C-alpha cells in the first residue's frame, strides 16, 4: 500500500459544478474549484464516528 505522505489533489464534478478534493495526512478537504473555503474533515473525526457532527458544525458556521 502506498502511504499518504503528501497532499493528493483531484477534481470531481458534483451536480455539474467542479470541486477540488484534497487528501492529506491530516484529513480531506472539498472546495468549490477556485475557492479557498470549503469543507474539511479530519481522519480522526471520520473513524471516531464524529464525521457528521464535524460537517454539521462547519456548515452552521460557514458564511
Amino acid at each position: 500500500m502506498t502511504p499518504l505522505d503528501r497532499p493528493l489533489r483531484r477534481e470531481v464534478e458534483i451536480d455539474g459544478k467542479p470541486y477540488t478534493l484534497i487528501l492529506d495526512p491530516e484529513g480531506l478537504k472539498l472546495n468549490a474549484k477556485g475557492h479557498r473555503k470549503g469543507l474539511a474533515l479530519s481522519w480522526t473525526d471520520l473513524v471516531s464516528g464524529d464525521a457528521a457532527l464535524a460537517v454539521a458544525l462547519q456548515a452552521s458556521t460557514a458564511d
Side-chain angles (χ1 to χ4, degrees):
M1 192 71 55
T2 304
L4 184 61
D5 55 358
R6 58 190 170 111
L8 176 66
R9 297 173 185 265
R10 294 293 184 259
E11 183 177 320
V12 62
E13 191 172 303
I14 303 171
D15 291 332
K17 297 179 184 176
Y19 288 84
T20 301
L21 175 66
I22 304 168
L23 301 171
D24 62 23
E26 288 81 40
L28 59 93
K29 297 172 191 148
L30 183 66
N31 304 328
K33 188 145 184 184
H35 293 82
R36 292 180 187 227
K37 289 187 178 182
L39 296 175
L41 183 60
S42 73
W43 297 122
T44 54
D45 288 342
L46 187 63
V47 297
S48 70
D50 293 335
L53 178 61
V55 170
L57 284 172
Q58 282 187 2
S60 68
T61 59
D63 293 332

